[in-house]
Amino acid sequence: MSITPDIVAAHGFTPEEYDRVLAAMGREPNLLELGIFSVMWSEHCSYKSSRLHLAKLPPKAPWVIQGPGENAGVIDIGDGDAAIFKMESHNHPSYIEPYQGAATGVGGILRDVFTMGARPVANMNALRFGEIDAPKMRHLVKGVVAGIGGYGNCVGVPTVGGETIFHKSYNGNIIVNAMTVGLARADKIFYSAAAGVGNPVVYVGSKTGRDGIHGATMASAEFDENSEEKRPTVQVGDPFTEKLLIEACLELMASDAIVAIQDMGAAGLTSSSVEMASKGGVGIRLDLDKVPCREAGMTPYEMMLSESQERMLMVLKPGREAFAEAIFRKWQLDFAVIGEVVHGGDLTMTFHGHEVGRIPLEPLADAAPKYDRPHVPTPKREPLADVPASASIAADLKTLMASVDLCSRRWIWEQYDHMVGADTLQRPGGDAAVVRVHGTRKALAIATDCTPRYCYADPHEGGRQAVAETWRNIIAVGGKPLAITNCLNFASPQNPVIMGQLVGCIEGMAEACRALDYPVVSGNVSLYNESKATGGGNAILPTPAIGGVGLLADYAKQMDLAFKAAGEAIWLIGGDGTHLGQSLWLRECHGREEGPPPPVNLVAERAHGEAVAGLIAAGTVTAVHDLSDGGLVVALAEMALASGLGAVVDGRLDAATAFGEDQGRYLVTAPAGVDIPGATRIGTVGGDALVLNGETVALAELKRLHEDALPAMIRG
Amino acid sequence: MRCAVIVFPGSNCDRDLADAIAKVTGRAPAMIWHRETELPANLDFIGVPGGFSYGDYLRSGAMAARSPVMQAVVKAAGEGRAVLGICNGFQVLTEAGLLPGALMRNAGLNFVCRDVRLSVANSQSIFTSLYATGEEIRIPVAHHDGNYTADAATLDRLEGEGRVAFRYAEAVNGSARDIAGILNDEGNVLGMMPHPERLIEAEQGGTDGRRMFEAAMMALA
C-alpha cells in the first residue's frame, strides 16, 4: 500500500512535516512506519509548539533528583526518601466519554509515577467545566467525578484534594488534569533508558486491544461537529488490573532484575519502545507475534498504536525472566518477552517472520518538528474605570459563598476515597492536603491551583499567580514548598493570540518559580482545547494548572484554617485589599469580568510567606488561611465554617478591603495578648455568626448556602 | 494476640488494617495470600480488609468469598476464632455465608467517603466491649455498596438477639434499620462497613476506631 496525500493528511501531517518524515526515513515509509511517526510527532508526544518555551522553566534546585524528561519528577525529602510526582491532562477523551476519559487519566498518571519505583500515596486533580446548563454538562460533571473516584478508589490511592472551576469558555471542551504523588527510596528510582545489547524486552500487564488507536493524535486536534465519532479512540480503564500491576511492579522493583522500565501511555507500545531505545542510545527489535492480544487478527499497525491501558514495557537483566515472570503470574498478569535490545539505532518490528517496519531513532527524534510559532502578547488591561460600591458586605458574602466557584466542593470529594492508606492528615477542603510519609514524622503538603480568568486578562501575571498560590497554600499548612509539576491547557497554538497566552503564562510561571526557589520537575502540555461544536473556535481560558509539593519535617507542627477558640485575635498579613479587577465579587455581584488581575509582588510574596512559616514554626499562631478568590471576607467565612466559630470584624469594610483579591496575603489567629509584628489586627473569633460592618451573618445560614449550592446545581 | 490479615487481589486496606493491628497489639499480623488453603496455627484474630477484591466484578465480595483461603476462614470462624470484616471484608463475609444479608448499592447511588456518626448498639461483644451501649462514635465510611439489606425476619432476629453492633446515627447509604455492622450468632464474627482502622491515632483525625482493636486484644490476648 503506497502512501497517498489523503493518508498523510489523515495522520495529522502537514505536507512540510511529511517531507521531514521522508528525509528522516530516507525512503517512503510504509503505513506502520507512518503511523509511528504520526503519534511520535503529534503535539501530545512531541511538544512541537511548546518545547521552545518550556525550556524557560527552571528545572533545578539542590533537592531535585530528576527534573523534566522522565516519566515524572523526583525530589529529595530527606532521610533517603524521595517524592515522585507529575500532572497530566485527559481533556479530549473526558469530553467524549467522561467516565472512562477521567478514569484512564488517573490510571495513566498513576503509571507514570509507579514506573519510577514509587508507591503512589496521593491523587489530586484540577477540573474545569462549562456552565452547568450547557449541553450535556451535568453528564460531564457527574461522569468525570465518578470516573476519577471509580479508578482511584479501586486502586486504593486516596484522592486528597483538587480544584474545580466552572466557566462558559469550557462549554465545549472541559479540562481534566490528574496528578499523582508517590514515595520511594532515593536510591531505588527506576529510569527508562534501555541498555545492554541482548537484554530481553518484556511486556507486562493487560492484553493489547483495538482501543485508543490514535488517541494521541486526537488529543492534538481541536474538536469539530463530529467529535462524537471519536469515541472509539477513548480507552477503557480497568483499575483492578492497575492495582495488580502496581503491586507486581513494586514487588519486582524490590529486586535488582530491572534495567529500565516505562509505562505504555499515549501512543502505547510505540512511544514506550521509542523512548526507551532513544534514551539508552540503543536499538530495540520487537517480535509482534509475541505481543499479548485481546483478539485475534490484530495488525502490526494496531498493536503499535493501541492505547490499551494498564501495560508496561521493561528491559530485564539477562536470565531474570523466570524470576520476574513468576511475580507477574502470581498477580495474574500477562508477561511476555517480546523483543531484545540490539546494536544500532533502529526500532525494528517483525511479524510472521518478516520485518514489517524499521525506523531510525535518531532521525525520528532529531527531525521532529519544533516550531517557533508566531505569538502576540495579550494587551494590558486598563484599570477598572468605575468601581461599584458594596451596598452590604454581608449580603455580598452570602452571594459569593453560594456562587459557582466558591461554593463547597463536598459533593465532589465525598465521592473520592480520600483516606485509604490511613495517612491523610488533612482532608479536602483546606488550603493544601497533608499526607504522612508512612512510618515517619514527615508529611507532604500538596496543592493544585490556577486562576484562568487572571491568565486570560494577563497571561504573564496569571502564570505568576498560579505558581504563587500553590506556594502560599503549602506555606499555610506549615509546609516548605519544594517543587511543582504543571499541566498547560490552552487552545490552538496556530492562533498567535493563543500562542501569546501560552508564552506569557510560561514566562510568568518561570519568574515565580525562580523568585520562590520552586523549580518545575515535570509537566504536560495540552493544546487545541477549543471546540467548533459550540459555535466556532470557542477557545478555553488559558489554564496552566500547577501542582505544588512541599514538606513538613514534623507533622505535629502542621497548621489548618479552622478557628480554634473564642476570644483569639484575627490578624491580616500582607495589607488591606485594594484590587477588584477580575475579582469574583465583581463577577458574581455585578456581572462584570473586567480589569487587570491582581499583580503578584514576588518579593513581598516570599517575605510574607516566610513570615507566616516563622510564626507557625514558633507556635505563635493557631490558624492560618491564605487569601485568594473572594478576598478577606470569604477567607474569614471559610475559617469560620471549618470550625463552627464566628468572628467580629472591628473596622469598617468596603468592597476593596472585603473582597479585593490582592496577592501574597494571609489571615492568622493568635491568642489574645500575642502581638504579630507587621500584621494588622482586624477582629476577634467568637459567637456563631460573622459580624461585618455591624451586620450579622449566621454561620448556620452561611453553611447552608455554601453546602447546598453545588448539589442543587448538579440536580438542576 | 496472634493476628492475620487476608489479602485478595484488589484488597487495598490490607496494609492499613495490618498497621492498626501492629500499633495496638505491638505485633505485626501475618499477611495471608488468597490462594492459601490453611491459616497459621493458633490464630486469635483474622481481619478481612476493605478494598475491591477481584475488582468487585460480578458482585462486591462474591469472587473473594469463593477463594481458597475463605474456606479456611469459615472453618476458623466455626472454631470460634475472632473474624473482623471491614467494608469489602463485610461484603465478603456475607457472600461467604458467615453473616446474613447483603450489601447493595448505596441509596444515593454515589460512592460516599466521610466520617459518619455511629451509635453503638451492642457493647457486649469481644470487639465492642470498650464502647458503651448507646454511645455515639465517629468512624469514616468509604464505599459504593454499603446499603445493608436482609428479609424482615432476619432483621428482626438480628435485633432481637442483640446482633446489631453499630447503627448509623445519620443518613448514609439507605441501610435497613440503619445497620452499619452485625455480629454472627456466636458473637465471634463482626462485619461492618465503616473503617475503624483509619482512626487509630489522633493525627488521623480521631481515635474512635482504636478501642475496637484494644477490646479484641483484651478479650483474646
Side-chain angles (χ1 to χ4, degrees):
Chain A
M1 177 171 169
S2 71
I3 302 300
T4 65
D6 282 351
I7 292 174
V8 169
H11 281 77
F13 288 115
T14 63
E16 296 74 33
E17 284 173 344
Y18 184 61
D19 286 342
R20 300 173 81 103
V21 174
L22 293 175
M25 288 294 293
R27 61 175 164 84
E28 182 174 279
N30 63 29
L31 187 63
L32 170 63
E33 292 160 343
L34 187 73
I36 289 172
F37 271 88
S38 159
V39 292
M40 290 310 297
W41 285 7
S42 69
E43 191 70 56
H44 189 84
C45 291
S46 74
Y47 298 92
K48 58 191 168 193
S49 301
S50 57
R51 237 161 57 225
L52 186 69
H53 302 286
L54 292 175
K56 298 170 185 169
L57 295 169
K60 288 196 179 125
W63 52 89
V64 173
I65 295 173
Q66 175 65 53
E70 272 289 337
N71 284 298
V74 184
I75 57 171
D76 184 345
I77 56 167
D79 313 304
D81 296 319
I84 302 184
F85 57 96
K86 191 182 178 193
M87 178 153 46
E88 209 165 65
S89 64
H90 235 211
N91 305 335
H92 292 82
S94 298
Y95 186 77
I96 295 169
E97 173 57 54
Y99 186 98
Q100 291 298 344
T104 53
V106 174
I109 195 64
L110 280 164
R111 282 192 297 284
D112 277 337
V113 167
F114 74 76
T115 298
M116 299 200 69
R119 178 172 285 280
V121 297
N123 282 333
M124 298 280 289
N125 53 70
L127 309 178
R128 300 291 182 273
F129 297 110
E131 295 161 303
I132 197 69
D133 290 322
K136 84 172 189 173
M137 195 52 64
R138 285 187 177 81
H139 165 70
L140 292 174
V141 175
K142 288 185 215 173
V144 165
V145 171
I148 290 172
Y151 207 98
N153 298 346
C154 180
V155 164
V157 176
T159 302
V160 294
E163 47 143 18
T164 304
I165 284 175
F166 296 83
H167 188 275
K168 61 177 183 287
S169 76
Y170 304 102
N171 281 1
N173 194 127
I174 61 175
I175 299 297
V176 176
N177 293 172
M179 172 177 174
T180 294
V181 183
L183 290 167
R185 295 297 292 170
D187 59 357
K188 287 286 278 182
I189 309 288
F190 289 82
Y191 297 96
S192 55
V197 169
N199 282 349
V201 174
V202 173
Y203 169 122
V204 297
S206 284
K207 293 186 197 307
T208 296
R210 289 189 164 113
D211 51 332
I213 291 172
H214 276 305
T217 312
M218 170 195 62
S220 306
E222 63 216 60
F223 281 146
D224 58 21
E225 299 78 356
N226 304 317
S227 61
E228 295 290 336
E229 288 173 8
K230 292 185 171 165
R231 272 182 75 159
T233 62
V234 178
Q235 314 85 337
V236 176
D238 177 4
F240 172 58
T241 298
E242 180 105 333
K243 169 69 174 166
L244 304 182
L245 194 57
I246 292 174
E247 299 302 333
C249 286
L250 291 178
E251 194 172 324
L252 182 60
M253 285 165 168
S255 77
D256 63 349
I258 298 176
V259 174
I261 180 164
Q262 166 84 34
D263 74 301
M264 295 192 216
L269 194 50
T270 290
S271 67
S272 54
S273 54
V274 167
E275 283 174 27
M276 291 180 85
S278 297
K279 281 183 185 154
V282 293
I284 283 184
R285 182 190 57 74
L286 296 177
D287 180 356
L288 297 178
D289 295 301
K290 304 262 175 65
V291 172
C293 287
R294 212 179 287 155
E295 51 198 307
M298 285 186 63
T299 64
Y301 184 91
E302 290 168 329
M303 286 182 216
M304 289 304 292
L305 298 187
S306 164
E307 290 190 6
S308 290
Q309 300 288 291
E310 293 92 25
R311 301 179 300 158
M312 311 281 269
L313 199 63
M314 304 185 297
V315 175
L316 292 180
K317 288 186 181 164
R320 302 306 298 272
E321 296 92 325
F323 169 79
E325 180 166 7
I327 291 172
F328 284 87
R329 295 291 175 214
K330 170 188 157 190
W331 290 100
Q332 297 169 311
L333 294 165
D334 270 296
F335 177 102
V337 177
I338 63 166
E340 63 175 338
V341 178
V342 294
H343 282 298
D346 291 352
L347 172 69
T348 58
M349 293 146 281
T350 60
F351 188 60
H352 292 172
H354 301 287
E355 183 174 303
V356 290
R358 174 180 287 269
I359 292 190
L361 292 169
E362 224 174 88
L364 174 68
D366 290 348
K370 178 177 178 178
Y371 296 128
D372 184 1
R373 295 203 186 270
H375 50 94
V376 297
T378 301
K380 292 282 181 194
R381 301 275 183 108
E382 290 299 318
L384 284 179
D386 55 325
V387 183
S390 170
S392 162
I393 300 293
D396 286 354
L397 173 64
K398 286 192 250 183
T399 301
L400 281 171
M401 290 299 281
S403 69
V404 56
D405 283 346
L406 284 173
C407 65
S408 169
R409 270 47 183 146
R410 182 181 302 277
W411 180 87
I412 295 173
W413 51 256
E414 281 192 350
Q415 295 186 54
Y416 305 149
D417 188 339
H418 47 269
M419 294 181 240
V420 60
D423 285 319
T424 305
L425 306 185
Q426 285 197 37
R427 301 176 186 176
D431 283 326
V434 177
V435 179
R436 185 166 53 178
V437 177
H438 195 78
T440 75
R441 302 292 299 171
K442 295 186 290 192
L444 298 176
I446 314 163
T448 54
D449 284 296
C450 172
T451 313
R453 64 182 190 280
Y454 293 175
C455 296
Y456 181 66
D458 184 339
H460 189 90
E461 209 60 75
R464 289 154 57 104
Q465 194 275 340
V467 171
E469 190 171 349
T470 64
W471 189 85
R472 207 179 299 149
N473 282 331
I474 291 167
I475 290 281
V477 298
K480 177 178 168 45
L482 291 177
I484 66 166
T485 182
N486 66 88
C487 192
L488 305 177
N489 308 276
F490 289 80
S492 169
Q494 298 183 45
N495 175 340
V497 172
I498 302 293
M499 195 62 209
Q501 294 173 348
L502 177 63
V503 173
C505 283
I506 289 175
E507 291 177 353
M509 287 165 56
E511 278 183 23
C513 289
R514 263 187 234 104
L516 300 171
D517 277 336
Y518 197 36
V520 179
V521 296
S522 57
N524 169 243
V525 179
S526 171
L527 302 177
Y528 299 97
N529 287 289
E530 54 187 71
S531 175
K532 288 178 184 146
T534 54
N538 189 6
I540 63 159
L541 298 185
T543 311
I546 308 295
V549 174
L551 177 69
L552 287 85
D554 178 1
Y555 59 70
K557 294 225 163 153
Q558 67 176 302
M559 187 50 58
D560 65 49
L561 58 79
F563 287 143
K564 297 303 182 303
E568 291 197 334
I570 305 167
W571 298 81
L572 171 63
I573 293 173
D576 279 340
T578 59
H579 190 101
L580 288 168
Q582 294 301 328
S583 67
L584 282 184
W585 176 78
L586 194 64
R587 189 180 87 187
E588 295 299 325
C589 298
H590 297 278
R592 291 167 53 184
E593 296 183 49
E594 295 172 15
V600 183
N601 177 336
L602 291 167
V603 174
E605 181 77 56
R606 183 161 181 158
H608 298 159
E610 287 175 351
V612 169
L615 292 168
I616 295 171
T620 310
V621 290
T622 52
V624 175
H625 189 21
D626 80 303
L627 270 57
S628 56
D629 286 339
L632 172 79
V633 170
V634 165
L636 268 177
E638 289 167 346
M639 296 174 86
L641 289 178
S643 64
L645 287 167
V648 178
V649 174
D650 299 330
R652 187 85 197 159
L653 295 165
D654 61 16
T657 50
F659 303 114
E661 296 181 3
D662 303 63
Q663 298 293 298
R665 299 191 299 154
Y666 301 81
L667 282 177
V668 303
T669 60
V674 172
D675 186 41
I676 311 281
T680 313
R681 183 175 165 160
I682 63 151
T684 310
V685 176
D688 56 4
L690 290 177
V691 182
L692 308 161
N693 287 357
E695 291 183 285
T696 296
V697 185
L699 290 189
E701 183 192 6
L702 204 55
K703 180 174 181 180
R704 185 178 52 73
L705 289 168
H706 187 55
E707 294 290 348
D708 290 356
L710 186 57
M713 269 173 61
I714 303 294
R715 275 194 306 273
Chain B
M1 182 161 84
R2 268 181 293 273
C3 302
V5 170
I6 309 298
V7 184
F8 302 106
S11 292
N12 64 30
C13 302
D14 47 330
R15 299 193 319 143
D16 305 357
L17 181 56
D19 274 359
I21 290 169
K23 278 182 178 139
V24 173
T25 68
R27 188 167 161 183
M31 306 303 282
I32 310 296
W33 186 237
H34 67 118
R35 287 190 193 276
E36 300 291 332
T37 53
E38 283 182 32
L39 296 171
N42 304 320
L43 277 182
D44 299 305
F45 179 100
I46 300 161
V48 186
F52 288 71
S53 56
Y54 297 90
D56 273 358
Y57 297 143
L58 184 59
R59 198 170 61 238
S60 301
M63 285 194 269
R66 281 144 191 87
S67 63
V69 76
M70 280 310 295
Q71 293 178 25
V73 172
V74 169
K75 181 160 165 277
E79 293 165 356
R81 315 266 182 225
V83 178
L84 170 63
I86 298 169
C87 198
N88 193 229
F90 184 14
Q91 294 159 347
V92 173
L93 296 184
T94 61
E95 289 284 347
L98 283 173
L99 292 169
L103 285 310
M104 301 192 301
R105 178 97 337 165
N106 294 343
L109 301 182
N110 287 342
F111 189 95
V112 58
C113 177
R114 67 168 196 259
D115 281 355
V116 299
R117 289 178 294 117
L118 297 179
S119 170
V120 179
N122 174 337
S123 61
Q124 307 301 310
S125 78
I126 52 175
F127 306 99
T128 57
S129 64
L130 291 177
Y131 302 115
T133 300
E135 181 184 354
E136 205 169 87
I137 61 174
R138 184 172 54 84
I139 305 272
V141 295
H143 60 245
H144 212 162
D145 297 324
N147 181 353
Y148 183 74
T149 188
D151 60 53
T154 303
L155 293 169
D156 289 343
R157 197 171 73 247
L158 287 171
E159 291 187 321
E161 294 173 357
R163 288 167 54 193
V164 176
F166 302 103
R167 289 182 203 280
Y168 298 110
E170 60 187 89
V172 176
N173 53 28
S175 283
R177 303 188 194 179
D178 297 321
I179 287 172
I182 56 170
L183 294 154
N184 69 344
D185 55 0
E186 301 294 327
N188 65 314
V189 178
L190 170 64
M192 62 190 295
M193 290 311 296
H195 286 271
E197 81 281 14
R198 293 186 182 184
L199 288 184
I200 298 294
E201 301 167 294
E203 55 263 36
Q204 292 167 322
T207 56
D208 277 352
R210 187 178 186 97
R211 278 182 285 166
M212 175 170 299
F213 298 95
E214 288 173 342
M217 188 168 69
M218 271 177 51
L220 303 169

